[in-house]
Amino acid sequence: MLRRPVTNLLSTASRRSISVKNILHGSPEAQQAGEIDVQQHSRLVGRGKYVHGFEFHCVKPDRTQEYKEAAENYYTGLIRDPNLHVKLSGSWETLVGQQDTFLHILEYENYGGYDKTTQLVKTSKHLKDYQAMLPYINSRSLQLNQEFAFLPTAPPHAQGGIFELRTYQLIPGTLLAWEHAWRKGIDARRKFVAPVGAWFSQVGRLHQVHHMWQYPNLETRKETREKAWQIDGWAETVDKTSQLAKFMDSFILSPLSYSPLK
């Protein structure tokens, strides 16, 4: 996985900007005392209605077809079970990025729904279906995320093309500042393409932000991104948000046949 370092320098600010910064990040004294809690930030920027589980599976290169069949059986079985408090947002295979990696995003009715679903899976036929995937997987990871309040996840649709998942590892304590800057600049991107969703991590790898986009192809992606740079505010948004990140990743994904988002 390639990681591009980002300059860790905050731009020069006026007295007013410094005051805002202290509100967002806390004064140096408060930070040193540990009084700024990432959970407080989450309550301010999160939608709070759902929890999205990001399940990453790194699959054995010579077993991808068998994995796909087992994964389809497991995930479609989950969403067909009326007793479970879960929906499948989408399932994708990585085309550019970490090869032989698959992403499944599950939507739970907050943490209560997550707890109920995982307990029910352990005592149902779904456990056997899940275990059927394991021989084809080299490693797996799970991260629980919440939607940004201003950008709910798109409903199921079939528009075709490719998806891009962009992931940012933020400097701890900068979630509010990142959300504030990105919220102001997102309209420049919305003029040309509708975002699929945006999330921030709460359990698993912390201080991460994800957002997802959909394009007909890579050429259209390039043209769309170039158009955004011509809109006032987008360059400033990129400048501010990049200063708040340690590194960033971009993955090009292809939806699987049973993915609700495709």
Side-chain angles (χ1 to χ4, degrees), residues 56-57 92-103 250-256:
F56 291 94
H57 294 167
W92 297 268
E93 177 180 8
T94 302
L95 298 180
V96 181
Q98 186 71 42
Q99 296 292 287
D100 306 308
T101 298
F102 293 78
L103 167 63
S250 170
F251 305 96
I252 302 301
L253 311 172
S254 176
L256 299 179

Side-chain angles (χ1 to χ4, degrees), residues 193-205:
V193 61
V196 175
W199 308 265
F200 59 93
S201 62
Q202 290 198 304
V203 183
R205 176 63 63 86

Side-chain angles (χ1 to χ4, degrees), residues 1-198:
M1 181 185 298
L2 297 178
R3 291 178 174 175
R4 177 156 58 94
V6 180
T7 305
N8 186 16
L9 294 175
L10 297 178
S11 58
T12 304
S14 63
R15 292 180 180 178
R16 182 178 179 183
S17 297
I18 293 174
S19 298
V20 172
K21 177 183 172 185
N22 284 340
I23 292 173
L24 294 176
H25 304 289
S27 65
E29 293 79 9
Q31 289 181 355
Q32 185 175 4
E35 296 176 5
I36 302 301
D37 187 345
V38 69
Q39 295 302 320
Q40 293 175 328
H41 291 186
S42 298
R43 286 193 292 271
L44 290 173
V45 305
R47 187 180 180 202
K49 187 174 182 180
Y50 301 109
V51 168
H52 286 82
F54 280 41
E55 299 185 2
F56 291 94
H57 294 167
C58 295
V59 176
K60 298 175 181 178
D62 59 340
R63 309 299 294 274
T64 55
Q65 187 56 44
E66 295 152 299
Y67 166 80
K68 289 180 182 180
E69 295 172 359
E72 179 174 4
N73 185 52
Y74 171 67
Y75 288 104
T76 57
L78 290 183
I79 60 178
R80 290 171 183 162
D81 189 336
N83 296 317
L84 300 182
H85 302 259
V86 63
K87 295 179 181 178
L88 179 66
S89 294
S91 293
W92 297 268
E93 177 180 8
T94 302
L95 298 180
V96 181
Q98 186 71 42
Q99 296 292 287
D100 306 308
T101 298
F102 293 78
L103 167 63
H104 308 277
I105 300 181
L106 292 170
E107 180 183 273
Y108 301 93
E109 298 173 5
N110 221 309
Y111 285 103
Y114 175 81
D115 290 337
K116 292 177 183 177
T117 297
T118 53
Q119 289 301 316
L120 287 172
V121 166
K122 292 178 182 178
T123 59
S124 69
K125 70 179 186 65
H126 302 300
L127 178 60
K128 184 178 180 180
D129 293 338
Y130 184 82
Q131 292 172 336
M133 293 191 297
L134 299 183
Y136 313 124
I137 299 175
N138 280 323
S139 64
R140 53 205 162 112
S141 66
L142 170 62
Q143 184 184 57
L144 299 182
N145 297 280
Q146 190 175 145
E147 298 167 308
F148 280 102
F150 67 93
L151 192 56
T153 306
H157 61 245
Q159 297 178 0
I162 59 173
F163 289 74
E164 179 182 19
L165 178 68
R166 298 181 68 86
T167 297
Y168 298 78
Q169 184 66 46
L170 300 185
I171 299 168
T174 63
L175 177 62
L176 276 177
W178 194 95
E179 186 268 355
H180 178 72
W182 205 65
R183 180 196 288 263
K184 290 179 62 177
I186 193 62
D187 285 341
R189 294 296 307 277
R190 278 187 166 134
K191 293 180 183 294
F192 308 106
V193 61
V196 175

Side-chain angles (χ1 to χ4, degrees), residues 202-214:
Q202 290 198 304
V203 183
R205 176 63 63 86
L206 297 178
H207 311 298
Q208 274 195 344
V209 167
H210 309 278
H211 50 92
M212 183 179 281
W213 306 84
Q214 186 174 10

